[in-house]
Amino acid sequence: MNTPGPNDLHDVVIVGAGAAGVGVSAALVHAGIENFVVLERHAVGASFAQWPAETRFITPSFPTNSVGMLDLNSPVIGASAAVTLEVEHPTGSQYAAFLEAIADFFDLPVEEGVDVLRIEPSGEEFVVETSEGPVRARHVIWAAGDFQYPRLNDFQGSELCLHTALLPNYAELDGDDFIVVGGYESGVDVASHLAERGKRVRLFDRGRPWACESSDPSVALSTFSLERTRRPSYAAHVRLFPDTEITAVARADSGFEVATDEGLLFHTRVPPLLAGGFRGSHPLVMNLFESREDGFPLLNEHDESTIVPGIYLCGPAVRHDNQIFCFIYKYRQRFAVVAKAIATSLGLPAEGLEMYRMWGMYLDDLSCCGQECAVC
């Protein structure tokens, strides 16, 4: 490890080496920015590597012969997870290897095993306090992502549940009768795998995402997940409880008791599986951002804080008006916006970012079609 010293002043410090951190780092390279460092708590792509072994990307990786991004899961121009991995729906560990290959190709200055503790503005600079000492920077990009921050405390007794994001695999789960709390992607994922093994599953959700008519996978189930809900094993073994909110879980003599908002009680011999998603990493830096009404950071047109100039947000927490950038193919469109803003502040022409415009990634106008779509 070659962690920057306290007297080194970097043009940019990037926090996180997942899809957002690696992708925006490549954009900085294209913008001509050389004096930057990427600080990663674990290793490149570690959040993906920690997925359950059976979990796969819901967005497909498929190479095309058109200009621009080769598939939906690539965070950089000119690369394809499908070509590199030769799979259409990568596992988390496969995708982590893909990110490592990108980092090696661009020779990105990633410092692994460095935990960022806090970020302090200091005049026209930032001091990034880390487990290895302070790091100084003119700009900071927060790209720490979501997957290392599962939602664990949504109701009383949730600590008795097993969060799906913390399971190494589903195959080793003991029992024949499972309760799954949460019916979005993670819930359908674990339910479908358990159903394939002949396990009984009761799936609870406060809404009914499997019936949502929106075409936006940010709010409705992906096609990949919907297809699995139509398998014979799913229909035979999974019982759905829509519009049912779980309010408490408690230990019982024979296992666990699960209570709903309508006062109904359900029993299971094994810990309920919590598939409530992720709270994200942005709460860790909300002192540097204004808050939107939905609790996400308020950003200017350059994805920069509106109250602390010089700190930017990249990744699934990016929001603009009603537009949600929570998939790689969405938030990657903002990398060049951030890179250009930083390059301009450093007096660089950022000519290498023109390829992002030509290939449909770099958009100055957030409302190109007036609605949320694959382009905006």
Side-chain angles (χ1 to χ4, degrees):
M1 183 176 63
N2 186 27
T3 307
N7 295 321
D8 297 331
L9 177 60
H10 292 273
D11 288 331
V12 190
V13 164
I14 300 171
V15 181
V22 168
V24 75
S25 295
L28 294 184
V29 172
H30 287 136
I33 299 172
E34 300 178 353
N35 181 25
F36 71 94
V37 66
V38 185
L39 305 180
E40 165 58 41
R41 176 190 295 175
H42 300 299
V44 173
S47 294
F48 295 97
Q50 294 170 6
W51 281 7
E54 298 90 342
T55 299
R56 292 179 173 270
F57 266 65
I58 58 176
T59 45
S61 290
F62 193 85
T64 73
N65 60 357
S66 62
V67 298
M69 290 297 184
L70 294 180
D71 68 44
L72 296 180
N73 296 322
S74 178
V76 301
I77 287 176
S80 168
V83 172
T84 301
L85 303 173
E86 298 184 338
V87 293
E88 186 171 341
H89 291 274
T91 65
S93 60
Q94 288 172 329
Y95 192 76
F98 175 56
L99 292 180
E100 289 176 3
I102 293 173
D104 289 342
F105 178 82
F106 283 97
D107 195 22
L108 299 180
V110 180
E111 298 293 342
E112 298 182 336
V114 180
D115 193 5
V116 172
L117 307 176
R118 60 186 175 275
I119 300 170
E120 298 288 347
S122 178
E124 296 183 355
E125 301 176 9
F126 293 89
V127 176
V128 182
E129 298 289 349
T130 80
S131 57
E132 303 297 319
V135 180
R136 296 168 56 222
R138 293 186 175 90
H139 308 85
V140 173
I141 299 175
W142 185 262
D146 279 2
F147 293 137
Q148 292 186 27
Y149 307 92
R151 299 177 65 95
L152 299 173
N153 301 302
D154 282 350
F155 51 81
Q156 182 180 352
S158 58
E159 70 277 2
L160 300 175
C161 303
L162 299 177
H163 197 287
T164 56
L166 302 178
L167 299 174
N169 57 65
Y170 302 144
E172 296 181 4
L173 287 172
D174 293 327
D176 296 306
D177 184 6
F178 293 86
I179 285 180
V180 177
V181 182
Y184 195 54
E185 302 293 350
S186 298
V188 170
D189 186 48
V190 65
S192 64
H193 285 290
L194 291 173
E196 288 287 338
R197 295 168 50 213
K199 309 295 185 179
R200 179 191 177 201
V201 179
R202 287 169 288 176
L203 182 64
F204 294 81
D205 193 89
R206 67 184 65 180
R208 48 181 70 207
W210 50 81
C212 181
E213 296 182 355
S214 172
S215 61
D216 181 8
S218 295
V219 297
L221 281 180
S222 65
T223 305
F224 183 68
S225 294
L226 285 172
E227 286 181 335
R228 290 186 287 172
T229 67
R230 301 187 185 107
R231 292 175 181 173
S233 61
Y234 196 93
H237 297 288
V238 179
R239 182 182 176 188
L240 302 177
F241 291 83
D243 306 316
T244 305
E245 184 170 359
I246 300 302
T247 57
V249 172
R251 292 190 183 275
D253 292 339
S254 58
F256 299 86
E257 189 174 76
V258 179
T260 74
D261 56 345
E262 296 182 348
L264 300 176
L265 296 177
F266 297 85
H267 298 269
T268 175
R269 292 185 178 275
V270 297
L273 300 177
L274 183 57
F278 303 85
R279 65 181 179 89
S281 64
H282 61 277
L284 301 176
V285 290
M286 282 305 296
N287 61 307
L288 302 174
F289 292 85
E290 288 185 273
S291 179
R292 290 162 42 110
E293 291 184 1
D294 59 7
F296 285 91
L298 181 65
L299 307 172
N300 66 16
E301 66 272 23
H302 306 301
D303 294 356
E304 182 183 21
S305 169
T306 56
I307 58 174
V308 181
I311 184 166
Y312 298 79
L313 182 68
C314 283
V318 171
R319 301 287 190 276
H320 284 283
D321 297 326
N322 64 342
Q323 298 169 16
I324 304 173
F325 294 82
C326 65
F327 281 84
I328 292 170
Y329 74 88
K330 292 184 176 185
Y331 64 70
R332 72 184 182 190
Q333 299 169 75
R334 305 299 299 168
F335 294 161
V337 174
V338 172
K340 184 181 179 182
I342 294 176
T344 300
S345 73
L346 295 173
L348 299 173
E351 295 175 350
L353 292 177
E354 284 304 311
M355 69 179 74
Y356 286 77
R357 182 185 296 277
M358 291 188 300
W359 291 15
M361 276 190 59
Y362 172 36
L363 303 174
D364 288 311
D365 185 359
L366 280 167
S367 57
C368 63
C369 66
Q371 58 184 327
E372 186 176 0
C373 64
V375 174
C376 62

